[in-house]
Amino acid sequence: TIDPEPGPGFDSYPLPATGERFPIADPALPPRLAPRPADDADYLKAMFEGIAAIEALGYDRLAELGAPTLISVRSVGGGAANPAWTAIRRRRLGVDFLPALSDEAAAGTARLALMGASRAGLL
């Protein structure tokens, strides 16, 4: 099992290859995947931590560009059912994780489009 609390530092930046576009525009940015912890659970936790850090950087960058500050997250899919992954994300993002209103990704996308259309006075 994975303990979602912070542990020995493993500063991962899990990219599939060199180069990143968002949240850091750097075509030469290398992945940080080493040194690899010997224990597979520790390695998976390090990947979770790295992905959560990238997610936080993404939300920070969106706010810098004028998007509203993140106040809560709703997640669906297999990862959302993983309590360790959810706890790591919650800790890293520092916002409430609310239950999803639907487990269909299209429903969330439609809800966002409806909110945008409403705010733009299109409805």
Side-chain angles (χ1 to χ4, degrees):
T1 63
I2 295 173
D3 179 0
E5 294 306 312
F10 178 80
D11 184 27
S12 72
Y13 200 94
L15 297 173
T18 297
E20 176 72 292
R21 294 185 299 178
F22 183 85
I24 300 167
D26 182 353
L29 184 69
R32 284 193 311 269
L33 302 172
R36 186 193 191 287
D39 183 76
D40 288 342
D42 288 342
Y43 184 64
L44 181 58
K45 179 180 178 176
M47 294 299 101
F48 285 170
E49 292 280 356
I51 293 167
I54 294 168
E55 182 179 17
L57 286 172
Y59 284 122
D60 290 346
R61 181 68 180 127
L62 289 171
E64 289 171 10
L65 295 171
T69 302
L70 185 67
I71 57 173
S72 66
V73 171
R74 296 175 194 264
S75 292
V76 297
N82 183 312
W85 169 229
T86 299
I88 289 168
R89 290 178 67 216
R90 182 182 297 120
R91 177 176 41 79
R92 187 64 178 88
L93 296 175
V95 297
D96 290 330
F97 272 55
L98 305 174
L101 301 175
S102 171
D103 61 0
E104 296 293 329
T109 302
R111 190 171 289 107
L112 289 172
L114 181 61
M115 288 171 44
S118 177
R119 288 183 181 152
L122 301 174
L123 298 176

Coordinates of all heavy atoms in Angstrom, one line a residue, residues 40-93:
D40 N 8.6 -0.8 -5.3 CA 7.7 -0.4 -6.4 C 6.6 0.6 -5.8 O 6.2 1.5 -6.5 CB 7.0 -1.6 -7.0 CG 8.0 -2.4 -7.9 OD1 9.0 -1.9 -8.3 OD2 7.6 -3.6 -8.2
A41 N 6.2 0.4 -4.6 CA 5.1 1.3 -4.0 C 5.7 2.6 -3.8 O 5.0 3.7 -4.1 CB 4.6 0.7 -2.7
D42 N 7.0 2.7 -3.4 CA 7.6 4.0 -3.3 C 7.8 4.7 -4.6 O 7.6 5.9 -4.7 CB 9.0 3.9 -2.6 CG 8.9 3.6 -1.1 OD1 7.8 3.8 -0.5 OD2 9.9 3.1 -0.5
Y43 N 8.1 3.9 -5.6 CA 8.2 4.5 -7.0 C 6.9 5.0 -7.5 O 6.8 6.2 -8.0 CB 8.8 3.5 -7.9 CG 9.1 4.0 -9.3 CD1 10.0 5.0 -9.5 CD2 8.4 3.5 -10.4 CE1 10.3 5.5 -10.8 CE2 8.6 4.0 -11.7 CZ 9.6 5.0 -11.9 OH 9.8 5.5 -13.1
L44 N 5.8 4.3 -7.3 CA 4.5 4.7 -7.7 C 4.1 6.0 -7.0 O 3.6 7.0 -7.5 CB 3.5 3.6 -7.5 CG 2.1 4.0 -8.0 CD1 2.0 4.4 -9.4 CD2 1.1 2.8 -7.7
K45 N 4.4 6.0 -5.7 CA 4.1 7.2 -4.9 C 4.9 8.4 -5.4 O 4.4 9.5 -5.5 CB 4.5 7.0 -3.4 CG 4.2 8.2 -2.5 CD 4.6 8.0 -1.1 CE 4.3 9.2 -0.2 NZ 4.6 9.0 1.2
A46 N 6.2 8.2 -5.8 CA 7.0 9.3 -6.4 C 6.4 9.8 -7.7 O 6.3 11.0 -7.9 CB 8.4 8.8 -6.6
M47 N 5.8 8.9 -8.5 CA 5.2 9.3 -9.7 C 3.9 10.1 -9.4 O 3.6 11.2 -10.0 CB 4.8 8.1 -10.6 CG 6.0 7.3 -11.1 SD 7.1 8.3 -12.2 CE 8.4 8.7 -11.0
F48 N 3.1 9.6 -8.4 CA 1.9 10.4 -8.0 C 2.3 11.8 -7.5 O 1.6 12.7 -7.8 CB 1.2 9.6 -6.8 CG 0.4 8.4 -7.3 CD1 -0.1 7.6 -6.3 CD2 0.2 8.1 -8.6 CE1 -0.8 6.4 -6.6 CE2 -0.6 7.0 -8.9 CZ -1.1 6.1 -7.9
E49 N 3.3 11.8 -6.7 CA 3.8 13.1 -6.2 C 4.2 14.1 -7.3 O 3.8 15.3 -7.3 CB 4.9 13.0 -5.2 CG 4.6 12.3 -3.9 CD 3.9 13.2 -2.9 OE1 3.8 14.4 -3.1 OE2 3.5 12.7 -1.8
G50 N 4.9 13.5 -8.2 CA 5.4 14.3 -9.4 C 4.2 14.8 -10.2 O 4.2 16.0 -10.6
I51 N 3.3 14.0 -10.5 CA 2.1 14.3 -11.3 C 1.3 15.4 -10.6 O 0.8 16.4 -11.2 CB 1.3 13.1 -11.7 CG1 2.1 12.2 -12.6 CG2 0.0 13.5 -12.3 CD1 1.5 10.8 -12.8
A52 N 1.1 15.2 -9.3 CA 0.4 16.2 -8.5 C 1.1 17.5 -8.5 O 0.4 18.6 -8.5 CB 0.2 15.7 -7.1
A53 N 2.4 17.5 -8.4 CA 3.1 18.8 -8.5 C 3.0 19.5 -9.8 O 2.8 20.7 -9.9 CB 4.6 18.5 -8.2
I54 N 3.0 18.7 -10.9 CA 2.8 19.3 -12.2 C 1.3 19.8 -12.3 O 1.1 20.9 -12.9 CB 3.0 18.2 -13.3 CG1 4.5 17.9 -13.3 CG2 2.6 18.7 -14.7 CD1 4.9 16.7 -14.2
E55 N 0.4 19.1 -11.8 CA -1.0 19.6 -11.8 C -1.1 20.9 -11.0 O -1.8 21.9 -11.5 CB -1.9 18.5 -11.1 CG -3.4 18.9 -11.1 CD -4.3 17.9 -10.5 OE1 -3.8 17.0 -9.8 OE2 -5.5 17.9 -10.8
A56 N -0.5 21.0 -9.9 CA -0.5 22.3 -9.1 C 0.2 23.4 -9.9 O -0.3 24.5 -9.9 CB 0.2 22.1 -7.8
L57 N 1.3 23.1 -10.6 CA 1.9 24.1 -11.4 C 1.0 24.6 -12.5 O 0.9 25.7 -12.9 CB 3.2 23.6 -12.0 CG 4.4 23.4 -11.1 CD1 5.5 22.7 -11.9 CD2 4.9 24.8 -10.7
G58 N 0.3 23.6 -13.1 CA -0.7 24.0 -14.2 C -1.8 24.9 -13.7 O -2.1 25.9 -14.3
Y59 N -2.4 24.6 -12.5 CA -3.4 25.5 -12.0 C -2.8 26.8 -11.6 O -3.5 27.9 -11.9 CB -4.1 24.8 -10.8 CG -5.1 23.7 -11.1 CD1 -4.9 22.4 -10.6 CD2 -6.2 24.0 -12.0 CE1 -5.8 21.4 -11.0 CE2 -7.0 23.0 -12.3 CZ -6.9 21.7 -11.8 OH -7.8 20.7 -12.1
D60 N -1.6 26.9 -11.1 CA -1.0 28.1 -10.8 C -0.8 29.0 -12.1 O -1.0 30.2 -12.1 CB 0.4 27.9 -10.1 CG 0.2 27.4 -8.7 OD1 -0.9 27.4 -8.1 OD2 1.2 27.0 -8.1
R61 N -0.3 28.3 -13.1 CA -0.1 29.0 -14.4 C -1.4 29.5 -15.0 O -1.4 30.6 -15.5 CB 0.6 28.0 -15.4 CG 0.9 28.6 -16.7 CD 2.0 29.7 -16.6 NE 2.3 30.3 -17.9 CZ 2.3 31.6 -18.1 NH1 2.0 32.5 -17.2 NH2 2.5 32.0 -19.3
L62 N -2.4 28.7 -14.9 CA -3.7 29.2 -15.4 C -4.2 30.4 -14.7 O -4.7 31.4 -15.3 CB -4.8 28.1 -15.3 CG -4.6 26.9 -16.3 CD1 -5.5 25.8 -16.0 CD2 -4.8 27.4 -17.7
A63 N -4.0 30.4 -13.4 CA -4.4 31.6 -12.5 C -3.5 32.8 -13.0 O -4.0 33.9 -13.1 CB -4.2 31.3 -11.1
E64 N -2.2 32.6 -13.2 CA -1.4 33.7 -13.7 C -1.9 34.3 -15.0 O -1.7 35.5 -15.3 CB 0.1 33.2 -13.9 CG 0.8 32.9 -12.7 CD 2.2 32.2 -13.0 OE1 2.6 32.2 -14.1 OE2 2.8 31.7 -12.0
L65 N -2.5 33.4 -15.8 CA -3.0 33.9 -17.1 C -4.4 34.4 -17.0 O -5.0 34.8 -18.1 CB -3.0 32.7 -18.1 CG -1.6 32.2 -18.5 CD1 -1.6 30.9 -19.2 CD2 -0.8 33.2 -19.2
G66 N -5.0 34.5 -15.8 CA -6.3 35.1 -15.7 C -7.4 34.2 -15.3 O -8.5 34.7 -15.2
A67 N -7.2 32.9 -15.3 CA -8.2 32.0 -14.9 C -8.6 32.2 -13.4 O -7.7 32.6 -12.6 CB -7.8 30.6 -15.2
P68 N -9.8 31.8 -13.0 CA -10.1 31.9 -11.6 C -9.2 31.0 -10.8 O -8.8 29.9 -11.2 CB -11.6 31.4 -11.5 CG -12.1 31.5 -12.9 CD -10.9 31.4 -13.8
T69 N -8.9 31.4 -9.6 CA -8.1 30.6 -8.6 C -8.9 29.3 -8.3 O -10.1 29.3 -8.1 CB -7.9 31.4 -7.3 OG1 -7.2 32.6 -7.7 CG2 -7.0 30.5 -6.4
L70 N -8.2 28.2 -8.3 CA -8.8 26.9 -8.0 C -9.3 26.9 -6.6 O -8.7 27.3 -5.6 CB -7.7 25.8 -8.1 CG -8.2 24.4 -8.0 CD1 -9.1 24.0 -9.2 CD2 -7.0 23.4 -7.9
I71 N -10.6 26.5 -6.5 CA -11.2 26.4 -5.1 C -11.7 25.0 -4.8 O -11.8 24.7 -3.6 CB -12.4 27.4 -5.0 CG1 -13.5 27.2 -6.0 CG2 -11.9 28.8 -5.0 CD1 -14.7 28.0 -5.8
S72 N -11.8 24.1 -5.8 CA -12.2 22.8 -5.5 C -12.0 21.9 -6.8 O -11.8 22.5 -7.9 CB -13.7 22.6 -5.1 OG -14.5 23.0 -6.2
V73 N -11.9 20.6 -6.6 CA -11.7 19.7 -7.7 C -12.8 18.6 -7.6 O -13.1 18.1 -6.5 CB -10.3 19.1 -7.6 CG1 -10.1 17.9 -8.6 CG2 -9.2 20.1 -7.8
R74 N -13.2 18.1 -8.7 CA -14.1 17.0 -8.8 C -13.4 16.1 -9.8 O -13.1 16.5 -10.9 CB -15.5 17.3 -9.3 CG -16.3 18.2 -8.4 CD -17.6 18.6 -9.0 NE -18.2 19.7 -8.3 CZ -19.1 19.6 -7.3 NH1 -19.5 18.4 -7.0 NH2 -19.6 20.6 -6.7
S75 N -13.2 14.8 -9.5 CA -12.5 13.9 -10.3 C -13.4 12.7 -10.6 O -14.2 12.2 -9.8 CB -11.2 13.4 -9.7 OG -10.3 14.4 -9.6
V76 N -13.2 12.1 -11.8 CA -13.8 10.8 -12.2 C -12.8 9.9 -12.8 O -11.7 10.4 -13.1 CB -15.0 11.1 -13.2 CG1 -16.1 11.9 -12.6 CG2 -14.5 11.7 -14.5
G77 N -13.1 8.7 -13.0 CA -12.2 7.8 -13.6 C -11.5 6.9 -12.6 O -11.7 7.0 -11.4
G78 N -10.7 6.0 -13.1 CA -10.0 5.0 -12.3 C -9.2 5.6 -11.2 O -9.1 5.2 -10.1
G79 N -8.4 6.7 -11.6 CA -7.6 7.4 -10.6 C -8.3 8.0 -9.4 O -7.9 8.0 -8.3
A80 N -9.5 8.4 -9.7 CA -10.4 9.0 -8.7 C -10.8 8.0 -7.6 O -11.1 8.4 -6.5 CB -11.6 9.7 -9.3
A81 N -10.7 6.7 -8.0 CA -11.1 5.7 -7.0 C -9.9 5.2 -6.2 O -10.1 4.4 -5.3 CB -11.7 4.5 -7.8
N82 N -8.7 5.8 -6.4 CA -7.5 5.4 -5.7 C -7.4 6.4 -4.5 O -7.0 7.5 -4.7 CB -6.3 5.5 -6.6 CG -5.0 5.0 -5.9 OD1 -4.7 5.4 -4.8 ND2 -4.3 4.2 -6.6
P83 N -7.6 5.9 -3.3 CA -7.5 6.8 -2.1 C -6.2 7.5 -1.9 O -6.1 8.6 -1.5 CB -8.0 6.0 -0.9 CG -7.9 4.5 -1.4 CD -7.9 4.5 -2.9
A84 N -5.1 6.7 -2.2 CA -3.7 7.3 -2.0 C -3.5 8.5 -3.0 O -3.0 9.5 -2.6 CB -2.7 6.3 -2.1
W85 N -3.8 8.2 -4.2 CA -3.7 9.2 -5.3 C -4.5 10.5 -5.0 O -4.0 11.6 -5.1 CB -4.0 8.6 -6.6 CG -4.1 9.5 -7.8 CD1 -5.2 9.5 -8.7 CD2 -3.2 10.5 -8.3 NE1 -5.0 10.5 -9.7 CE2 -3.8 11.1 -9.4 CE3 -2.0 10.9 -7.8 CZ2 -3.1 12.1 -10.2 CZ3 -1.4 11.9 -8.6 CH2 -1.9 12.5 -9.7
T86 N -5.7 10.2 -4.6 CA -6.6 11.4 -4.2 C -6.1 12.1 -3.1 O -6.1 13.4 -3.1 CB -8.1 10.9 -4.0 OG1 -8.5 10.2 -5.2 CG2 -9.0 12.0 -3.6
A87 N -5.6 11.5 -2.0 CA -5.1 12.1 -0.9 C -3.8 13.0 -1.2 O -3.6 14.1 -0.7 CB -4.7 11.1 0.2
I88 N -3.0 12.4 -2.1 CA -1.7 13.1 -2.5 C -2.2 14.4 -3.3 O -1.6 15.5 -3.0 CB -0.8 12.2 -3.3 CG1 -0.2 11.2 -2.4 CG2 0.2 13.0 -4.1 CD1 0.5 10.1 -3.1
R89 N -3.1 14.3 -4.2 CA -3.6 15.4 -4.9 C -4.2 16.5 -4.0 O -4.0 17.7 -4.2 CB -4.5 15.0 -6.0 CG -3.9 14.2 -7.1 CD -4.9 13.8 -8.2 NE -5.5 14.9 -8.9 CZ -6.7 15.0 -9.3 NH1 -7.6 14.0 -9.0 NH2 -7.2 16.1 -9.9
R90 N -5.0 16.0 -3.1 CA -5.7 16.9 -2.2 C -4.7 17.7 -1.4 O -4.8 18.9 -1.2 CB -6.7 16.2 -1.3 CG -7.4 17.1 -0.3 CD -8.3 16.3 0.6 NE -9.4 15.6 -0.1 CZ -9.5 14.2 0.0 NH1 -8.7 13.5 0.7 NH2 -10.5 13.6 -0.7
R91 N -3.7 17.0 -0.8 CA -2.7 17.6 -0.1 C -1.9 18.6 -0.9 O -1.6 19.8 -0.5 CB -1.7 16.6 0.5 CG -0.5 17.2 1.3 CD 0.3 16.1 2.0 NE 0.6 14.9 1.2 CZ 1.6 14.8 0.3 NH1 2.3 15.9 -0.1 NH2 1.8 13.7 -0.3
R92 N -1.5 18.2 -2.1 CA -0.7 19.1 -3.0 C -1.4 20.3 -3.5 O -0.9 21.4 -3.5 CB -0.1 18.3 -4.1 CG 0.9 19.0 -5.0 CD 2.1 19.3 -4.2 NE 3.1 20.0 -4.9 CZ 3.2 21.3 -5.1 NH1 2.4 22.1 -4.5 NH2 4.2 21.8 -5.8
L93 N -2.7 20.1 -3.8 CA -3.5 21.2 -4.4 C -4.1 22.1 -3.3 O -4.3 23.3 -3.6 CB -4.6 20.7 -5.3 CG -4.1 20.0 -6.5 CD1 -5.3 19.4 -7.3 CD2 -3.3 20.9 -7.4

